[in-house]
Amino acid sequence: MSVRLELNERFSGSGGGASERTHRFFRIRADHSCPSAISGVGDEACIGTQRWPDGSTRTQVVARKGNVLVTVSYRAARPADQMSTETSRLAHAVIGRIRFE
């Protein structure tokens, strides 16, 4: 299992605000990794499940809250529905801990 947090810092200049840039990064990641949108996890989130030749399942959730992008990847020899539930729950917990000041 891995959890990755990415923060886009706010700065002056062209290219939109940090949240807009993070939304673009989210769309790119979602198009490649997780085709199904999920609700209740940050400002936007998606999930993807992939079966591996060794019989394991890899589930990935990509979620955005403001200018923070969270990616949770989980791979194990378990049923896909269990993996999806657990990965979504973890992503929700991580996103819920993000505080903006």
Side-chain angles (χ1 to χ4, degrees), residues 24-76:
R24 286 193 298 270
F25 295 143
F26 170 82
R27 291 293 351 133
I28 291 167
R29 190 95 27 94
D31 289 345
H32 290 101
S33 304
C34 55
S36 302
I38 55 175
S39 61
V41 182
D43 297 328
E44 56 189 333
C46 62
I47 190 167
T49 302
Q50 185 178 34
R51 195 86 170 134
W52 288 74
D54 66 1
S56 65
T57 301
R58 178 180 174 263
T59 301
Q60 181 169 323
V61 172
V62 178
R64 180 186 70 84
K65 181 176 181 181
N67 61 329
V68 177
L69 195 62
V70 174
T71 304
V72 178
S73 296
Y74 186 21
R75 183 173 169 188

Side-chain angles (χ1 to χ4, degrees), residues 3-10 17-27 29 41-45 61-71 91 94-101:
V3 177
R4 180 178 173 179
L5 294 149
E6 300 171 67
L7 170 69
N8 276 299
E9 295 187 40
R10 299 165 202 256
S19 291
E20 289 129 3
R21 285 192 315 278
T22 306
H23 168 73
R24 286 193 298 270
F25 295 143
F26 170 82
R27 291 293 351 133
R29 190 95 27 94
V41 182
D43 297 328
E44 56 189 333
V61 172
V62 178
R64 180 186 70 84
K65 181 176 181 181
N67 61 329
V68 177
L69 195 62
V70 174
T71 304
V94 171
I95 285 282
R97 296 257 185 207
I98 296 171
R99 300 287 181 253
F100 295 97
E101 296 181 7

